[in-house]
Amino acid sequence: MLRITVITVTYNSEATVAETMDSVLAQIYPDIEYIVVDGGSTDKTIDIIRQYEPRFQGRMRWISKPDQGIYDAMNKGIAMATGEVIGMLNSDDLFIDAEVLTDIASAFEDRQIACIHGNLYFVRHDDTNHIVRIWKSSPYKPNSFARGWHPAHPTFYVRREYYIRFGGYDIAFPVSADFELMLRFLEKHRLHSLFINRFLVKMRMGGESTGSLRSIYVGNRNVMKAFHKNGIPVSPLYPVFRLAPKVINKIKLKLHLK
């Protein structure tokens, strides 16, 4: 049976990490390796991790030490992974239902499939049942990234062999290393991908890339650098087209909360 490694990066995540781990424990797929990479939390995150560890019955490993940011921590998790397939579940996100990893494993039964992605719900940080925005994806087509398309990173699962072959997250991209990795894997190396047309993850608003407008602005600058790094042509207006919907959604969210 194909083993799936799920990696959760934490740092002072006491308010949400238990819900994240509960959603992993709820998965009915039997062969899961769960890795938690903590950046040296000073709140109760480590206590919560220790409390949950026995419930995974040997399927969970974790470390806690300072890192160079979320993508450096993800790389540490990848280095620890033994599963054939690897995916990320942030410490404030959760799986939609108990069959997510079962469906992902079924997709990877086709050995030609190198990576998969699906749909995503953005939810309120204080209420994961309140959907703020829907990320409805689609199958990858060559040159899609330059037209503003890319997968939702929390739904992106990849065979471990391709991390070994093409590298992990480039920590020179402090906000958008996930975009750069997906761009590199799909557009540059043209990995054979599959779109699963179902919702896989609930993502809380206010994370590394959905937080402040400044983070979004910096992210778009890094996205342009990602295209140049990988030798992929893109219009200089790309950041404008990509930024506008996020600004609009940010304004709508603020108005709604008021």
Side-chain angles (χ1 to χ4, degrees):
M1 180 175 288
L2 178 146
R3 173 170 294 178
I4 299 177
T5 298
V6 177
I7 298 170
T8 294
V9 172
T10 64
Y11 182 71
N12 290 344
S13 306
E14 64 177 9
T16 59
V17 69
E19 191 173 8
T20 300
M21 291 192 286
D22 280 334
S23 80
V24 177
L25 283 168
Q27 295 299 299
I28 63 173
Y29 188 72
D31 201 351
I32 302 170
E33 175 184 58
Y34 188 47
I35 295 176
V36 180
V37 182
D38 181 76
S41 291
T42 56
D43 64 358
K44 297 180 180 178
T45 299
I46 300 302
D47 293 335
I48 295 170
I49 292 171
R50 287 197 176 105
Q51 290 170 8
Y52 269 79
E53 185 177 11
R55 297 176 59 185
F56 282 89
Q57 299 179 334
R59 298 183 301 163
M60 174 180 173
R61 288 182 292 145
W62 64 277
I63 59 172
S64 180
K65 60 181 65 176
D67 53 49
Q68 298 180 59
I70 186 171
Y71 298 116
D72 180 42
M74 288 178 178
N75 285 337
K76 290 180 180 180
I78 292 169
M80 294 170 63
T82 64
E84 185 178 346
V85 170
I86 298 174
M88 306 292 165
L89 186 69
N90 294 333
S91 62
D92 52 0
D93 301 338
L94 57 153
F95 290 122
I96 290 286
D97 55 51
E99 297 183 354
V100 169
L101 294 182
T102 300
D103 291 345
I104 289 173
S106 295
F108 279 105
E109 288 178 0
D110 182 348
R111 284 295 308 174
Q112 293 185 349
I113 300 300
C115 53
I116 68 97
H117 68 280
N119 301 323
L120 175 79
Y121 285 128
F122 288 96
V123 297
R124 277 179 46 161
H125 199 274
D126 59 346
D127 182 2
T128 58
N129 291 317
H130 186 117
I131 298 171
V132 175
R133 181 157 59 97
I134 293 174
W135 187 325
K136 188 72 165 58
S137 195
S138 59
Y140 164 73
K141 296 179 181 178
N143 305 314
S144 291
F145 279 75
R147 296 191 292 270
W149 178 96
H150 65 86
H153 179 247
T155 74
F156 193 64
Y157 281 69
V158 186
R159 291 191 190 273
R160 183 165 59 94
E161 63 186 273
Y162 296 106
Y163 283 109
I164 296 171
R165 188 181 307 180
F166 301 128
Y169 296 90
D170 185 344
I171 63 174
F173 293 84
V175 175
S176 301
D178 52 352
F179 178 92
E180 190 280 327
L181 180 136
M182 293 186 294
L183 176 76
R184 182 176 3 122
F185 282 12
L186 292 174
E187 292 283 24
K188 184 175 182 179
H189 297 296
R190 296 293 170 89
L191 297 188
H192 190 177
S193 67
L194 177 70
F195 167 56
I196 300 178
N197 190 15
R198 68 102 95 199
F199 287 89
L200 301 176
V201 174
K202 290 183 179 180
M203 180 177 182
R204 282 182 169 91
M205 296 293 290
E208 189 70 16
S209 60
T210 66
S212 68
L213 293 179
R214 182 182 180 279
S215 293
I216 295 172
Y217 170 73
V218 172
N220 276 277
R221 289 184 60 189
N222 277 268
V223 162
M224 293 300 288
K225 292 179 182 178
F227 280 107
H228 295 312
K229 172 196 168 183
N230 290 286
I232 298 171
V234 64
S235 166
L237 295 177
Y238 175 88
V240 177
F241 300 132
R242 186 171 185 263
L243 182 59
K246 294 188 177 184
V247 173
I248 292 171
N249 275 301
K250 186 72 176 178
I251 294 171
K252 287 181 177 178
L253 177 62
K254 284 184 176 294
L255 291 174
H256 177 75
L257 290 177
K258 290 180 181 179

